[in-house]
Amino acid sequence: MPERKSLPSGTKSSAMLNDSLLSSPPRVPPSQSTKERRNPSVTPKRFGRFFTPRSRVSSEPSAARKALHALAGPALNRCPTPSSSPLKPITEENNSGFDFPPLRNPKRRKTTHHTPSRQVSNPLPTPVHTSPLLPTPDLQLGLSSPIRNLRARRDGQDVVDMDMMSDDEDEPRGPASFTRSVPLRHRGFAGELAQRMAGGLTHVRSSTVRHPVADWRTPTADFYSRPDNVHLCKSQVRDDRAIPFCTSSCHNNSLVAVGDEEGYVRLLDSNAKFSEIHLSFPVHSNAIIDLDFSEDDYLLATAAGDQTGKVVDMMTQQTLTVFDQHTASLKQVRFQPGRGGGCVLATSARDGTVQIWDLRCRGPVQEIPPIELEVGLRSRTPKTPIPGAVVGGIYNPHFRPVKPTPRSQANGATESARATVTALQFLPQGREHLLLTACEADSSIKLWDIRAVHTNRHHRTSSPVSSTAPPPSHTWRYFGISAMTLNGDGSRLYSVCKDNTVYAYSTAHLVLGSAPELTPALPGQDPPRRRLHGLEQVGLGPMYGFRHPQFHATSFYIKTAVRPARDGREELLAVGSSDGCAVLFPTDERFVSDALRRGESVRPSTGRLFSASFSSNLAEDETVPLIQRGTPLVRGHDKEVGALTWTNEGKLVTAGDDYFIRCWKEDREEARDLRTGGETEGRRWGCGWADVGESWDGDQEDWKDADDDW
């Protein structure tokens, strides 16, 4: 063993200092201790700590106790980097600027540690690496305490004893586990309902579904009508019956107005005895073709076959204004929503014109002789009404192509005749200055800005903002439109076409390109106007259509109406039919996309497959997909059902040529009983119900029991 060389005094003192820093201080044996042992004195601090309840003692250990606990840890000897001070490690003194995650509340438990992938190059301590005056390798890695160093360097599986002040029960903790998510179809009724609302449920009301979840027929399957829900339309002036021509429901109550062929208006209460007349009064001397209530239900507008329209005060049942500027029988009348405030109206007639009326203006002064009440079809109200004022007019908005004659062919001119405007529809509030029109000649729908139309028929023909393209299947024959209506939010327009189809349009694409009229107006300002006699733009054609084997529109008296989604009820489209029934179509476009995905759509002209993205713009050689998902209301009428309307409570009122006006209600048990009960003992006499087909399994007893359990 080599001899140790003597060092100078300065060097020796430095070496002794390093030895004292690197080694632990010598312990004095208990036998050599000269300090006298005494009993510990009771100080106020110790007294208070002894008698203080545990609930008042903070469960968070102090920094000194944490350090002492770390020094007493059995795994500390395996840590190659000891700390220089038990109260404040040197790594924390030099690294106060680093942010480290807080320590978890330690408890006595077993902790499993996995061997890190990075191996330590020098696991044994050396004088250079263990000097407290030099930065440790753990300091460069961002470790700031012996406990963090211990966690970073330990390998294998260690058992750590962590005795804390808390006397809580030990809580065994295993390794962190991940809970696998449960599919929606395995989460009961709530999960299947959420999946149905999200559009991801492909099989409904079948054996693959455990809980009863509705399919496309569920919103329409609960409609029924009993004999006490039927009103027989009798004549008011003779002992006979009168055919009901039109219906309109109030916006704020349960009353329904019905116009008949004698010019009378009768009010029926859908919540009371529907078979009895609530109120009746004469308005015209000829058949009333159309009715419309103002938003506050105080005014009722009529359009009749006597070439006039009227506005009636519902409080007094007296005529306030007469619209007498048309030269033929009227077809429709509509109040302007929004800023019109029940004062602006639009009427259309067989003379091919559209008139805009303002009740705040007085018409031309003329002598109207007082009308006496007579017997027969010429009965009138004994009051001199005020003539209406025309504030705008659209003359010859639609034309009917005429077969060219030899003379016209020689001159190279094309002849056309004006067409009857059969349908009117204002856009909803915010765009109420835009008016939609349709005619008997073709299926094109035109959009007009009523602020840029003429008031004199001798001026140039007004130019529409845009016109939609007809369906591609109409190239060989033209079909007219009998009625139009909007859905609840105004995003879809539905039109009843004479080709036995209800077409759906997107109101946001009625104009392709620049459309300043559709630009939302700033607060307190009007929407931008287009220039007079501007160029007519092209609008998007129909996106899809509805068809049904029991829906046929053979006359222009077939109307349509939409029940908005409100009070937990789904939106439904009702349309009359010449087959003696009304047909209900669910308007939720998830059902449309599902029908396209299943290949249930019908294409009238070609057999080409249609893309599932039904909202895309169709090319001219592609066909419009037709969906056959409708529910007819059978046994309610024997002849054509033309007029219909929805009440404010979601009930459907239909009027047919069989003189019956029927109210349809919703009840699952009643509809199921009529469908499955049979004809025993006349149970179905005078009744009607929704025919959902033989494949419908919602009437089975197991579903009924499941509903009772819920």
Side-chain angles (χ1 to χ4, degrees):
M1 184 174 184
E3 259 184 7
R4 187 175 182 178
K5 298 182 181 180
S6 61
L7 300 173
S9 58
T11 307
K12 183 176 182 181
S13 61
S14 301
M16 293 177 62
L17 178 59
N18 292 337
D19 292 341
S20 63
L21 292 175
L22 297 176
S23 60
S24 301
R27 295 185 177 181
V28 180
S31 58
Q32 299 180 5
S33 177
T34 57
K35 187 175 181 180
E36 181 181 359
R37 291 180 175 272
R38 297 181 181 180
N39 295 328
S41 59
V42 180
T43 61
K45 183 176 181 180
R46 294 180 179 178
F47 183 84
R49 181 179 299 176
F50 182 79
F51 286 98
T52 301
R54 289 184 176 270
S55 61
R56 299 183 181 179
V57 179
S58 176
S59 60
E60 183 69 22
S62 61
R65 185 161 184 91
K66 288 181 180 180
L68 292 175
H69 174 269
L71 290 176
L76 182 63
N77 294 330
R78 288 191 293 273
C79 180
T81 309
S83 172
S84 63
S85 172
L87 300 181
K88 193 171 186 181
I90 187 172
T91 54
E92 293 183 359
E93 295 175 357
N94 297 336
N95 264 332
S96 59
F98 292 100
D99 294 328
F100 298 101
L103 296 177
R104 295 176 298 176
N105 292 334
K107 292 185 178 180
R108 185 180 182 86
R109 63 179 180 273
K110 292 185 177 182
T111 307
T112 303
H113 304 277
H114 300 280
T115 304
S117 59
R118 183 178 61 86
Q119 299 294 335
V120 181
S121 58
N122 189 9
L124 298 178
T126 60
V128 177
H129 290 86
T130 57
S131 174
L133 302 180
L134 298 176
T136 62
D138 298 314
L139 180 61
Q140 301 173 1
L141 297 176
L143 300 175
S144 60
S145 68
I147 299 178
R148 296 187 180 96
N149 297 342
L150 180 62
R151 290 175 182 171
R153 296 208 175 199
R154 69 178 56 154
D155 51 352
Q157 296 184 357
D158 301 330
V159 179
V160 182
D161 295 329
M162 312 184 77
D163 299 326
M164 299 301 298
M165 295 175 59
S166 175
D167 293 338
D168 298 340
E169 296 181 359
D170 297 341
E171 299 180 3
R173 290 189 180 181
S177 60
F178 298 94
T179 305
R180 180 176 297 178
S181 60
V182 181
L184 287 177
R185 63 179 181 274
H186 296 158
R187 295 191 180 187
F189 178 77
E192 293 181 359
L193 182 61
Q195 193 173 6
R196 167 182 171 262
M197 297 177 64
L201 194 61
T202 57
H203 300 283
V204 289
R205 283 203 179 273
S206 59
S207 59
T208 59
V209 180
R210 184 176 181 181
H211 300 279
V213 179
D215 66 358
W216 66 269
R217 289 170 290 188
T218 301
T220 62
D222 299 339
F223 282 88
Y224 78 99
S225 180
R226 293 286 185 181
D228 56 349
N229 305 130
V230 180
H231 174 80
L232 178 60
C233 189
K234 295 182 179 181
S235 174
Q236 301 293 310
V237 296
R238 65 183 188 273
D239 189 13
D240 200 355
R241 299 179 180 182
I243 297 178
F245 269 67
C246 55
T247 60
S248 181
S249 60
C250 294
H251 301 92
N252 305 304
N253 54 61
S254 59
L255 294 179
V256 177
V258 180
D260 57 26
E261 63 177 344
E262 296 178 344
Y264 273 76
V265 172
R266 66 188 69 195
L267 298 180
L268 306 177
D269 194 348
S270 60
N271 286 343
K273 201 169 182 179
F274 192 77
S275 59
E276 296 182 357
I277 297 178
H278 181 76
L279 181 65
S280 177
F281 53 92
V283 181
H284 291 273
S285 62
N286 206 327
I288 300 178
I289 308 300
D290 194 28
L291 296 171
D292 191 31
F293 277 100
S294 61
E295 293 183 354
D296 55 4
D297 297 332
Y298 283 100
L299 300 178
L300 175 65
T302 63
D306 57 1
Q307 302 182 9
T308 62
K310 294 184 180 182
V311 175
V312 180
D313 183 5
M314 294 303 297
M315 301 299 294
T316 61
Q317 297 87 50
Q318 298 295 326
T319 301
L320 300 179
T321 307
V322 176
F323 306 142
D324 55 355
Q325 297 297 315
H326 289 283
T327 60
S329 60
L330 275 67
K331 293 295 294 183
Q332 273 200 334
V333 59
R334 287 292 180 269
F335 275 98
Q336 183 189 32
R339 294 179 299 175
C343 297
V344 180
L345 302 92
T347 58
S348 65
R350 291 181 181 270
D351 58 4
T353 63
V354 175
Q355 303 287 355
I356 310 299
W357 310 82
D358 195 337
L359 302 182
R360 296 165 293 189
C361 304
R362 182 179 294 270
V365 179
Q366 55 182 343
E367 292 293 335
I368 301 179
I371 304 172
E372 297 181 358
L373 185 61
E374 300 177 359
V375 179
L377 294 179
R378 298 183 60 82
S379 57
R380 307 292 183 93
T381 56
K383 183 180 179 181
T384 302
I386 301 174
V390 177
V391 296
I394 306 175
Y395 300 97
N396 302 325
H398 297 269
F399 293 94
R400 177 189 303 170
V402 178
K403 185 177 180 180
T405 61
R407 182 177 180 180
S408 62
Q409 291 180 351
N411 297 333
T414 58
E415 296 184 2
S416 61
R418 59 188 179 186
T420 301
V421 180
T422 56
L424 289 176
Q425 183 62 53
F426 279 102
L427 290 188
Q429 185 175 0
R431 293 179 293 175
E432 62 270 14
H433 57 281
L434 298 176
L435 179 67
L436 296 167
T437 62
C439 70
E440 62 174 345
D442 56 19
S443 57
S444 176
I445 299 176
K446 294 188 177 183
L447 179 66
W448 306 84
D449 189 347
I450 63 175
R451 303 169 301 176
V453 296
H454 304 297
T455 58
N456 192 332
R457 66 174 64 246
H458 299 290
H459 286 182
R460 293 179 56 185
T461 303
S462 300
S463 177
V465 177
S466 66
S467 59
T468 63
S473 60
H474 291 190
T475 55
W476 61 278
R477 179 183 174 184
Y478 295 104
F479 297 91
I481 293 178
S482 63
M484 294 188 299
T485 186
L486 293 172
N487 67 341
D489 58 1
S491 61
R492 293 292 181 267
L493 172 69
Y494 301 102
S495 66
V496 180
C497 187
K498 289 293 295 296
D499 64 348
N500 307 323
T501 308
V502 180
Y503 289 105
Y505 297 82
S506 173
T507 56
H509 299 87
L510 292 175
V511 182
L512 298 180
S514 177
E517 298 84 1
L518 298 178
T519 305
L522 298 176
Q525 299 182 7
D526 293 336
R529 295 172 179 260
R530 74 192 304 259
R531 294 182 304 171
L532 200 62
H533 311 304
L535 296 178
E536 178 181 349
Q537 298 182 355
V538 179
L540 182 67
M543 299 185 301
Y544 55 89
F546 293 111
R547 274 191 180 179
H548 193 271
Q550 292 182 259
F551 165 57
H552 293 89
T554 59
S555 71
F556 284 97
Y557 292 100
I558 303 298
K559 305 301 179 182
T560 183
V562 170
R563 183 184 73 175
R566 185 172 54 192
D567 300 332
R569 299 185 295 264
E570 296 193 27
E571 185 177 273
L572 294 177
L573 172 67
V575 61
S577 175
S578 299
D579 292 353
C581 65
V583 184
L584 303 180
F585 295 98
T587 60
D588 194 335
E589 292 186 348
R590 293 185 294 108
F591 300 140
V592 178
S593 59
D594 181 67
L596 294 176
R597 184 171 58 252
R598 294 171 178 269
E600 298 179 4
S601 61
V602 179
R603 298 161 185 85
S605 60
T606 62
R608 296 176 53 186
L609 295 177
F610 184 78
S611 174
S613 178
F614 58 89
S615 60
S616 62
N617 190 2
L618 300 178
E620 294 183 357
D621 58 342
E622 292 182 330
T623 60
V624 178
L626 304 178
I627 311 303
Q628 291 189 351
R629 289 188 169 184
T631 302
L633 303 180
V634 299
R635 299 279 292 269
H637 297 274
D638 296 332
K639 295 184 179 180
E640 179 181 277
V641 177
L644 44 78
T645 184
W646 294 95
T647 67
N648 66 330
E649 296 181 351
K651 301 175 183 178
L652 179 64
V653 177
T654 58
D657 290 348
D658 55 358
Y659 308 103
F660 286 118
I661 305 169
R662 187 176 288 270
C663 181
W664 301 83
K665 302 180 181 180
E666 283 184 287
D667 188 275
R668 179 172 301 180
E669 297 299 330
E670 292 281 352
R672 178 189 291 118
D673 179 69
L674 291 174
R675 280 193 296 265
T676 61
E679 304 287 349
T680 306
E681 299 179 356
R683 299 177 58 185
R684 291 181 173 178
W685 179 84
C687 298
W689 60 89
D691 184 9
V692 290
E694 298 180 357
S695 61
W696 171 255
D697 55 2
D699 297 334
Q700 298 179 5
E701 293 297 329
D702 53 349
W703 294 114
K704 180 179 178 181
D705 297 339
D707 294 342
D708 295 340
D709 296 340
W710 283 103

